[in-house]
């Protein structure tokens, strides 16, 4: 009877060891740390400063995604973005279907599930997920706690850009 128990217990222990070693590595970093909160600033429309103040509320979705809710007197939008480390900056890029709509190609599969931390780097994201000419619209600068994002909004004859520039207040 003892031999049977060993033949059952050893494979179970080996299976648990293999499953435990395949878990996501702890080397991934919470890219939202220090970014979430409220940013006060202004919207600039097509290169002209407006006197219209604006606020951006940044909330964590997971370790690498945020929602951005930007409001002003005549502007209100909410959307989700993925984050990528780039030195003193944290860069933004579209997620899932929004990525495909913007760039007309798919993002590489499972890039956020890898545990080596390389997926979090902007240079890796650019080389793996993007084609030449793909544009990006925003970033956080850690040294001065600022956030900038260019919104594309439809205009009458051409596309109008609204640029939020703000500083973290809490």
């Amino acid at each position: 009877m003892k031999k049977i128990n060993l033949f059952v217990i050893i494979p179970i222990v080996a299976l648990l060891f293999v499953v435990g070693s395949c878990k996501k590595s702890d080397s991934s970093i919470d890219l939202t740390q220090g970014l979430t909160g409220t940013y006060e600033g202004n919207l600039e429309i097509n290169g002209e400063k407006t006197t219209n103040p604006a606020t951006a509320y940044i909330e964590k979705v997971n370790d690498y995604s945020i929602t951005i809710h930007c409001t002003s007197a005549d502007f209100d939008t909410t959307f989700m973005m993925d984050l990528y480390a780039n030195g003193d900056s944290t860069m933004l890029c579209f997620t899932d279907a929004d990525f495909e709509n913007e760039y007309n190609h798919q993002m590489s599969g499972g890039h956020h599930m890898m545990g080596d931390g390389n997926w979090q780097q902007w240079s890796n994201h650019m080389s793996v997920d993007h084609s030449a000419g793909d544009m990006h619209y925003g970033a956080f600068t850690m040294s001065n706690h600022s956030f900038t994002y260019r919104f594309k909004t439809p205009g009458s004859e051409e596309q109008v850009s609204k640029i939020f520039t703000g500083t973290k207040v809490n």
Side-chain angles (χ1 to χ4, degrees):
M1 196 63 146
K2 289 183 183 179
K3 283 185 178 182
I4 293 172
N5 286 341
L6 287 176
F7 287 120
V8 172
I9 292 173
I10 290 174
I12 291 173
V13 170
L15 180 64
L16 290 174
F17 178 75
V18 169
V19 169
S21 66
C22 290
K23 285 185 179 180
K24 182 179 172 186
S25 169
D26 289 336
S27 67
S28 65
I29 299 167
D30 182 355
L31 294 174
T32 67
Q33 194 170 34
L35 300 181
T36 57
T38 303
Y39 291 75
E40 295 288 340
N42 289 299
L43 284 177
E44 179 181 322
I45 301 173
N46 283 352
E48 296 181 20
K49 290 279 183 192
T50 66
T51 57
N52 193 2
T55 304
Y57 304 96
I58 312 300
E59 294 183 3
K60 177 179 180 171
V61 173
N62 54 42
D63 286 353
Y64 54 83
S65 298
I66 57 170
T67 58
I68 300 168
H69 179 195
C70 188
T71 63
S72 72
D74 60 351
F75 185 73
D76 190 344
T77 189
T78 302
F79 56 99
M80 190 167 97
M81 299 294 278
D82 282 343
L83 303 170
Y84 297 90
N86 188 29
D88 183 46
S89 297
T90 301
M91 310 301 286
L92 301 171
C93 191
F94 294 103
T95 62
D96 305 322
D98 291 335
F99 182 95
E100 291 179 37
N101 290 336
E102 177 67 22
Y103 303 118
N104 298 313
H105 61 87
Q106 291 184 339
M107 188 179 284
S108 64
H111 68 284
H112 286 302
M113 300 306 154
M114 296 178 218
D116 65 1
N118 192 39
W119 64 266
Q120 298 173 320
Q121 297 301 315
W122 182 247
S123 58
N124 183 65
H125 170 67
M126 292 301 291
S127 66
V128 171
D129 293 322
H130 284 284
S131 301
D134 285 355
M135 299 293 296
H136 289 84
Y137 303 99
F140 292 90
T141 303
M142 306 311 282
S143 61
N144 62 5
H145 307 287
S146 66
F147 169 56
T148 303
Y149 192 84
R150 182 171 64 93
F151 299 93
K152 298 186 315 180
T153 56
S156 56
E157 293 181 20
E158 62 182 39
Q159 194 159 311
V160 176
S161 291
K162 293 183 179 188
I163 301 171
F164 173 84
T165 303
T167 304
K168 189 173 182 183
V169 294
N170 68 14

